[in-house]
Amino acid sequence: SPFNDVNGRPVSNWWKTGYRGLSTVRSGIRDSMNVVTSKILTDITPKVGFDYLKEFGFTTLVANKTLDNGNVVSDINQSLALGGITYGVKNIELCAAYAAIANKGVYTQPIYYTKVLDHNGKVILESTPSTHTVMKESTAWLLTSAMKDVITAGTGTRCKVIETN
């Protein structure tokens, strides 16, 4: 249904031809509904959403910063729901965030190597990633299930891989 952000601007869905009425979160994910995403972030508050993104390893987020021109920027706002992030995100961090969902809610900090060996096979450098739980396993399962719907029945059906024998 119609929804305005805190500044009174209407939030529209990508199809731009109106609204579909009450929708589930699963439908919102499946059909890339901007209004559903915006309403959810508004309900949980942009601060909670921002904090979750920090837990998912995003380092480019801005809590509050005064720019050289005197303007103040912050990613703690409703546009966060639709990817409105001051400095964007790093691909490796985005991959790690999705991996945390697929890993039953456990975030693993990306690393570029696990170990380096010398010519005799002796470990000369080793890296062990740090991990922490971002969400409950059941929440990660539900989110993964809903994201599968994007490919099987939603806006990403053209990305569906067809298995052949």
Side-chain angles (χ1 to χ4, degrees), residues 140-157:
W141 186 90
L142 287 167
L143 186 52
T144 299
S145 175
M147 289 190 300
K148 287 178 182 178
D149 288 355
V150 174
I151 303 300
T152 61
T155 55
T157 54

Side-chain angles (χ1 to χ4, degrees), residues 10-20 31-35 82:
V11 176
S12 60
N13 291 309
W14 64 269
W15 59 83
K16 307 266 188 223
T17 57
Y19 303 92
R20 297 181 182 168
D31 296 334
S32 301
M33 294 181 183
N34 295 340
V35 172
L82 302 177

Side-chain angles (χ1 to χ4, degrees), residues 39-100:
K39 284 182 174 184
I40 289 170
L41 186 70
T42 300
D43 285 349
I44 67 167
T45 75
K47 176 68 169 114
V48 170
F50 179 89
D51 290 344
Y52 262 105
L53 290 176
K54 296 289 272 186
E55 286 295 309
F56 273 105
F58 292 103
T59 61
T60 56
L61 299 172
V62 177
N64 192 326
K65 180 179 181 179
T66 303
L67 303 176
D68 291 340
N69 64 7
N71 290 340
V72 177
V73 294
S74 174
D75 293 331
I76 304 172
N77 58 55
Q78 285 177 305
S79 65
L80 183 65
L82 302 177
I85 299 172
T86 304
Y87 297 116
V89 297
K90 297 176 183 177
N91 285 338
I92 193 166
E93 293 174 349
L94 187 59
C95 290
Y98 275 112

Side-chain angles (χ1 to χ4, degrees), residues 22-39:
L22 295 178
S23 301
T24 64
V25 172
R26 180 177 285 273
S27 300
I29 292 169
R30 182 193 66 221
D31 296 334
S32 301
M33 294 181 183
N34 295 340
V35 172
V36 171
T37 306
S38 297
K39 284 182 174 184

